[in-house]
Amino acid sequence: MKQLSWLLLLFTFSLQAQFQWNGLVKDAKTNQPLPFASISSNTGVQTISDVDGKFQLLSPNPILDFTASYLGYTPFQQIITPNKTFYVVALQEKSNDLNEVLIPKENEALQIIRKAIGAKSVNNPQQKNNSFSFKSYNKLLVTANPDSINGKIDSVFVDKTYGRELVKVDSSNYKFKEIISKQHLFQTEKVSLFQYQNSYLKEVIIGTKMAGFKQPIYEIIAFNLQSFSIYEPKYELFETKYNSPIADDAPEHYNYKLLDSVAIDGSTSYMIYFKNKKKKNAAGLEGVLYIDTTSYAIAKAIMRIKGVLDISGTHEFVYLPEEKIWFPSAKTFQIVKGKSDDDIKILGGTIQFDGDVEQGFKPRKKEATDISYLISKSYNFDIEYNKAVKIKQPTIAIDIQEDAINQTDAFWEAYRKEKLDLRSQKTYAAVDSISIKNGIESKLLFGRKIINGYVPISVIDFDLRKFVSFNNYEGFRLGVGGITNDSFSKKWKIEGYSAYGTKDGTFKYSLGIGTRINKFSNTWWGVSFTDDVREIASTTWTVDRRAFKIYDPRPINISTFYHYQTWKTGVETKFIPKTESIWELSNTFVEPKFNYAYNLDGKLFTKYNLTTAMVSLRWNPFSDYMQTPTGRIETEKRYPKFTFQFTKSLPNVGNNDFEFSKIDFRTEYQKNYLNGQKTSLLFEAGYTIGDLPLTHLYNTSPNNLNKETIIQRVTFAGKNSFETMFFNEFFSSKFAYFQFKHSFNRIHLLKKVKPNLVVVSRMGLGDMEKPEQHVGINYKTLRDGYFESGIELNQIYKGIGLSGFYRYGPNQLAKFQDNIAVKISFILNLGF
């Protein structure tokens, strides 16, 4: 599993070349680094320094000298000295004031940026014409440069003034260097066909291979490392969106500086350095734009974020003279480890970081793995611009062909745009061997199942939710349950569970069987029988039935349940684009396990039958999906999302006692801000028409104990519950619920105490039609509305948090303390 963890560890950048020189460009007077200085050798090889003034000059041939230049400074020519590979270049500022050159009335760089923003519509390939296509070869490595590791680990002797002394070898570093000298830590390749037509960009993967895996990890293939286009208002880097430096409002968010002018693909381009106007030490996007001096199109772009991870993305373009447009020709993405106050636990290992020394963090001993890095390079070719393109299933953003994982060596030789070096050639065999030896593929599958709430053992995935739980009616509920996996059959599945309540003293069970009738849409048909109990007036979103929580605190305090026996048959499918849906027919016998009777036209029902048809549908219209040979995956979750459920009774079928219709709706919205904060909105509504007992109506998720003092009411908080509403206090036949949450950045109180502050507000409105029909239980309605607000301090220490809520409005209680609820929260980090 450690080899896979390198996909998220990501450490210093170093390329393999026959000749390599490193260095630092700085201001001779202030000793401050000069970001994005131009470096050019006598042989024509060019590069630029990074945001810290560091550079690497790579050449297939020896060079005699290189020149470092920076706008406003005198260029310096550095002579190459034999056996010296690191140079510090100090540039002298020119005597004339740079500001006089750059800022007569308006910053010259800003003038160029404004022209680039104004010309976006004619320079953006996705706006200028309606269609294009191209092929792309991508290679991703997690690796390290063995020369970057201190050579002392290779010897058991160190030099002293009195001679040589025997020392203990750092075996872990020695072994690491030995490994990376022969191979990379991880490697994957893919060949894709990209098609664009009328705002749809689709990737069809025709070949892919991943070291260590017979079947690739499709989520890695779909991982969006960097935006395809730099012209969009938001630029995405490592699945985080930032305001683009050429967005319409970019001048409000960025500072710009003209660095130099350089030649790219035969044309002259301005080098414009940009940096986000954030406060000191706050992470923000910065980099360099190369803007064509004639068309003001982007000819090259370098984007960078420096924080816990040091991330950069480079975009290269080629000029198409017939179309008069700069078209994307290559992308490079790389990650190095940055700084953080906390280490990160992931995939069973720990990523160690250096904390900020200025904030009292002591330097730690460096590890060999600190110099590891991830680099991904894509090359675009066979570009066909402004030609008709026919996209099949445009709602699928990524389509992996059935034979993509079985391509021959001849295929790869034909499409590789970068020959595999000796280490790359050995990586596939070496990592495959390690993967088999350590069972990495099976461990990863195990981890996936655990996250989804299962423990895979042989042909059965055992359901973690079924082992043990507690509520006031059943007491401790002990059981076992699960579902067969692909090792049993890829076409058939059997699922079920059995449970026993220590307090009610009864057994519950369920058994079902299903068969897959369509692979592409992952459509299953099944039939099942269940004999169990359920909380009264609880809305069950059938399409969400696989949602898993390590713990679900709210049911602990529930005491009102009904017993049910259900025969059910249905179809689960993703046939409709960007939806998941379940269509069911069911017959249910219901017996309330509390003092209740339903009065229908003078007849009291203490037991009843319900025969219903139901459709439960979740629609994510703005999300992106990937079609794989094994199914469909939501690769990029976007909001809003919608869930709809409609239930209709079937009169005169299966001894059905009531005629009714029930409509349920939910929508979720989430906005992530560039500063790391997040706002979440949730709206739910339900409406019942006809005759339906209270067991199947609504209670809007109360989560407060009816106890005398606040201390006695302290319990675990729910996720979307009314924390100040007492159990069984309100019931409704129609309702609307709204929740607002805003999460701020974590507050650094102490070194290990950094709570996440969340403000929450909830409101509910509802009513009960024909309240006289519900006999034996006292309750109120939400006719006047219900309101509560509060704050959550989550993850104060080791996942434990605290929250407080206050109840106000028409349903406020007479005693002040009865309107207050204090709850404990717990967020568990699984380490995956």
Side-chain angles (χ1 to χ4, degrees):
M1 216 52 184
K2 288 185 178 179
Q3 282 76 12
L4 289 181
S5 70
W6 289 100
L7 291 172
L8 298 171
L9 296 188
L10 309 175
F11 312 159
T12 73
F13 171 56
S14 177
L15 293 177
Q16 297 305 303
Q18 188 175 0
F19 298 95
Q20 175 179 315
W21 297 266
N22 299 329
L24 171 68
V25 182
K26 64 179 184 177
D27 185 302
K29 185 177 180 180
T30 65
N31 282 325
Q32 292 298 310
L34 296 177
F36 306 109
S38 297
I39 315 295
S40 58
S41 73
N42 65 297
T43 59
V45 177
Q46 296 182 336
T47 188
I48 63 172
S49 62
D50 65 15
V51 71
D52 299 313
K54 298 176 183 178
F55 69 89
Q56 289 181 332
L57 192 60
L58 307 170
S59 174
N61 302 303
I63 64 175
L64 299 176
D65 60 69
F66 65 85
T67 300
S69 61
Y70 199 76
L71 190 65
Y73 290 78
T74 302
F76 181 83
Q77 184 180 26
Q78 175 68 57
I79 305 299
I80 296 296
T81 303
N83 300 322
K84 184 177 180 180
T85 59
F86 187 84
Y87 296 87
V88 177
V89 181
L91 298 184
Q92 297 285 346
E93 190 172 4
K94 291 180 180 179
S95 57
N96 60 311
D97 188 353
L98 184 62
N99 290 332
E100 293 180 2
V101 177
L102 289 179
I103 315 177
K105 293 183 179 179
E106 181 182 44
N107 186 321
E108 185 177 352
L110 190 55
Q111 293 179 12
I112 297 169
I113 288 295
R114 292 190 190 281
K115 291 179 180 179
I117 292 173
K120 284 192 300 183
S121 60
V122 295
N123 289 323
N124 183 356
Q126 291 172 271
Q127 280 187 277
K128 187 173 183 180
N129 287 299
N130 291 327
S131 63
F132 58 77
S133 67
F134 63 90
K135 294 186 178 71
S136 180
Y137 166 76
N138 173 265
K139 179 181 176 183
L140 182 148
L141 296 175
V142 179
T143 187
N145 181 4
D147 295 335
S148 299
I149 301 178
N150 194 325
K152 291 181 180 180
I153 68 171
D154 295 333
S155 175
V156 294
F157 293 95
V158 294
D159 293 325
K160 299 289 186 178
T161 54
Y162 52 81
R164 307 185 75 197
E165 180 180 318
L166 182 69
V167 295
K168 182 180 180 180
V169 174
D170 187 339
S171 59
S172 60
N173 285 0
Y174 181 84
K175 182 178 291 187
F176 180 76
K177 183 171 183 178
E178 186 179 38
I179 291 172
I180 65 171
S181 296
K182 299 176 182 178
Q183 66 178 74
H184 303 297
L185 299 172
F186 179 79
Q187 178 173 283
T188 182
E189 297 176 277
K190 69 174 179 177
V191 177
S192 303
L193 169 65
F194 283 85
Q195 299 174 301
Y196 177 80
Q197 179 76 38
N198 296 329
S199 77
Y200 286 104
L201 180 65
K202 181 172 183 175
E203 179 183 6
V204 180
I205 298 176
I206 58 178
T208 181
K209 61 190 305 186
M210 187 174 290
F213 298 91
K214 294 179 181 179
Q215 179 172 292
I217 308 170
Y218 294 118
E219 290 84 351
I220 292 178
I221 296 175
F223 207 50
N224 191 19
L225 300 177
Q226 62 192 119
S227 289
F228 169 75
S229 173
I230 61 167
Y231 287 100
E232 297 298 325
K234 294 290 186 282
Y235 177 81
E236 191 164 353
L237 197 60
F238 204 42
E239 299 209 327
T240 301
K241 291 185 177 180
Y242 305 90
N243 204 58
S244 168
I246 55 169
D248 291 344
D249 61 346
E252 300 175 16
H253 302 280
Y254 289 95
N255 291 317
Y256 301 93
K257 182 177 181 181
L258 178 61
L259 299 180
D260 209 341
S261 60
V262 295
I264 297 180
D265 205 9
S267 300
T268 303
S269 296
Y270 298 113
M271 286 179 62
I272 304 292
Y273 170 65
F274 65 89
K275 183 174 176 63
N276 194 279
K277 294 179 180 178
K278 285 185 175 246
K279 295 181 180 180
K280 186 179 180 181
N281 298 327
L285 191 66
E286 61 182 307
V288 173
L289 298 176
Y290 294 73
I291 299 176
D292 185 277
T293 57
T294 302
S295 64
Y296 293 94
I298 306 301
K300 184 177 179 180
I302 301 172
M303 311 290 198
R304 189 180 183 192
I305 288 293
K306 191 173 182 181
V308 175
L309 297 174
D310 190 348
I311 308 169
S312 63
T314 301
H315 297 256
E316 298 178 48
F317 296 77
V318 61
Y319 187 68
L320 304 180
E322 293 183 1
E323 305 295 339
K324 296 181 180 180
I325 197 165
W326 289 86
F327 193 85
S329 61
K331 290 195 303 184
T332 303
F333 174 88
Q334 51 198 24
I335 303 182
V336 242
K337 187 165 68 173
K339 292 183 180 295
S340 175
D341 296 346
D342 293 318
D343 296 338
I344 295 176
K345 294 181 179 180
I346 188 167
L347 297 173
T350 300
I351 309 172
Q352 291 185 317
F353 289 88
D354 289 324
D356 195 333
V357 177
E358 295 180 359
Q359 296 182 7
F361 288 87
K362 297 180 180 179
R364 65 176 178 83
K365 181 182 177 181
K366 297 294 182 182
E367 298 290 334
T369 52
D370 286 343
I371 55 85
S372 301
Y373 63 92
L374 178 148
I375 180 168
S376 172
K377 186 70 179 282
S378 298
Y379 302 87
N380 301 338
F381 57 98
D382 291 351
I383 299 170
E384 294 186 354
Y385 194 72
N386 201 24
K387 292 185 179 180
V389 173
K390 185 177 181 180
I391 300 179
K392 296 180 180 179
Q393 298 169 330
T395 55
I396 303 295
I398 303 174
D399 189 355
I400 302 179
Q401 300 292 281
E402 285 277 353
D403 60 347
I405 63 175
N406 299 313
Q407 296 293 1
T408 63
D409 290 340
F411 169 89
W412 290 106
E413 287 299 322
Y415 282 107
R416 276 193 184 109
K417 298 302 176 183
E418 180 182 284
K419 286 191 175 182
L420 298 185
D421 59 19
L422 186 59
R423 287 204 296 161
S424 287
Q425 293 173 26
K426 293 182 178 180
T427 299
Y428 283 117
V431 176
D432 286 350
S433 176
I434 293 172
S435 179
I436 294 172
K437 180 180 178 181
N438 296 332
I440 291 175
E441 195 161 8
S442 60
K443 288 179 181 178
L444 179 65
L445 177 62
F446 182 86
R448 282 177 168 176
K449 294 291 181 73
I450 289 291
I451 290 174
N452 288 317
Y454 290 107
V455 177
I457 300 177
S458 186
V459 299
I460 299 176
D461 294 342
F462 287 93
D463 196 333
L464 289 172
R465 301 171 304 173
K466 303 300 182 183
F467 288 129
V468 61
S469 60
F470 179 85
N471 60 69
N472 285 334
Y473 174 75
E474 294 177 282
F476 283 100
R477 178 181 169 120
L478 309 176
V480 62
I483 184 171
T484 57
N485 52 43
D486 287 350
S487 297
F488 172 79
S489 173
K490 293 184 178 181
K491 188 175 181 180
W492 294 89
K493 63 182 179 182
I494 301 172
E495 60 182 322
Y497 66 83
S498 179
Y500 177 77
T502 58
K503 188 174 181 179
D504 67 340
T506 59
F507 282 95
K508 299 90 180 175
Y509 67 93
S510 177
L511 184 64
I513 185 170
T515 181
R516 185 164 66 178
I517 56 180
N518 184 275
K519 184 177 180 181
F520 175 79
S521 60
N522 198 28
T523 300
W524 290 80
W525 170 82
V527 61
S528 67
F529 176 76
T530 303
D531 187 331
D532 205 340
V533 295
R534 180 176 295 164
E535 176 193 358
I536 65 171
S538 57
T539 300
T540 301
W541 299 93
T542 307
V543 76
D544 291 343
R545 63 184 181 182
R546 280 276 24 101
F548 170 67
K549 302 174 183 177
I550 284 293
Y551 74 105
D552 190 1
R554 197 182 148 273
I556 290 176
N557 302 299
I558 298 171
S559 56
T560 47
F561 286 77
Y562 65 89
H563 169 237
Y564 70 98
Q565 295 176 328
T566 299
W567 282 100
K568 182 168 54 181
T569 183
V571 174
E572 178 181 349
T573 182
K574 297 179 181 179
F575 178 75
I576 305 172
K578 299 196 175 188
T579 66
E580 298 177 45
S581 60
I582 296 177
W583 308 70
E584 286 184 350
L585 292 174
S586 65
N587 178 263
T588 303
F589 167 76
V590 179
E591 181 183 9
K593 307 303 278 186
F594 60 102
N595 182 27
Y596 176 75
Y598 185 63
N599 182 1
L600 180 61
D601 298 330
K603 182 179 179 181
L604 295 179
F605 287 84
T606 57
K607 302 177 184 179
Y608 37 87
N609 289 284
L610 303 174
T611 303
T612 59
M614 183 273 300
V615 57
S616 183
L617 184 147
R618 181 168 55 232
W619 181 40
N620 305 329
F622 304 102
S623 294
D624 284 340
Y625 287 84
M626 175 174 64
Q627 184 68 42
T628 77
T630 58
R632 192 175 303 171
I633 300 172
E634 186 181 6
T635 57
E636 185 161 355
K637 299 179 180 180
R638 297 194 184 100
Y639 295 86
K641 297 185 172 192
F642 306 93
T643 306
F644 171 83
Q645 189 162 290
F646 177 68
T647 307
K648 181 72 175 71
S649 65
L650 302 178
N652 305 316
V653 177
N655 298 318
N656 180 59
D657 288 317
F658 309 117
E659 185 172 350
F660 65 90
S661 297
K662 189 178 183 185
I663 305 169
D664 298 296
F665 174 77
R666 178 182 68 194
T667 183
E668 305 164 76
Y669 178 78
Q670 180 174 298
K671 181 175 178 59
N672 297 318
Y673 298 94
L674 299 180
N675 60 8
Q677 299 183 37
K678 179 175 67 176
T679 296
S680 301
L681 305 176
L682 173 65
F683 175 78
E684 290 186 3
Y687 191 84
T688 303
I689 304 171
D691 299 309
L692 189 62
L694 183 142
T695 52
H696 288 67
L697 296 180
Y698 307 104
N699 70 356
T700 57
S701 296
N703 191 33
N704 203 17
L705 297 173
N706 193 5
K707 301 288 184 180
E708 283 294 325
T709 66
I710 295 176
I711 297 299
Q712 290 176 313
R713 295 195 295 269
V714 173
T715 182
F716 281 99
K719 184 179 180 182
N720 303 316
S721 310
F722 276 113
E723 302 297 337
T724 59
M725 183 185 291
F726 298 112
F727 287 100
N728 299 333
E729 185 179 3
F730 296 89
F731 290 100
S732 306
S733 60
K734 55 184 178 182
F735 85 101
Y737 167 86
F738 176 76
Q739 174 181 274
F740 165 86
K741 282 189 177 185
H742 183 83
S743 174
F744 294 90
N745 292 323
R746 298 187 72 173
I747 305 170
H748 290 238
L749 299 179
L750 298 171
K751 184 175 180 179
K752 295 294 184 181
V753 179
K754 290 175 284 188
N756 171 219
L757 173 64
V758 182
V759 295
V760 185
S761 188
R762 301 184 179 101
M763 64 172 290
L765 184 67
D767 203 355
M768 177 69 79
E769 299 287 343
K770 302 178 182 179
E772 67 279 359
Q773 291 182 325
H774 308 287
V775 180
I777 185 171
N778 295 320
Y779 63 90
K780 295 183 286 185
T781 72
L782 293 173
R783 183 180 295 109
D784 297 325
Y786 190 95
F787 305 87
E788 74 171 23
S789 295
I791 61 170
E792 299 175 354
L793 289 174
N794 296 322
Q795 302 182 78
I796 297 175
Y797 183 74
K798 295 187 180 298
I800 298 175
L802 197 65
S803 64
F805 290 86
Y806 183 72
R807 170 174 176 167
Y808 57 94
N811 279 296
Q812 188 176 39
L813 301 176
K815 293 183 179 179
F816 173 78
Q817 60 268 30
D818 288 344
N819 297 295
I820 298 174
V822 177
K823 300 295 171 72
I824 299 169
S825 65
F826 181 66
I827 297 177
L828 180 63
N829 182 0
L830 289 174
F832 285 97

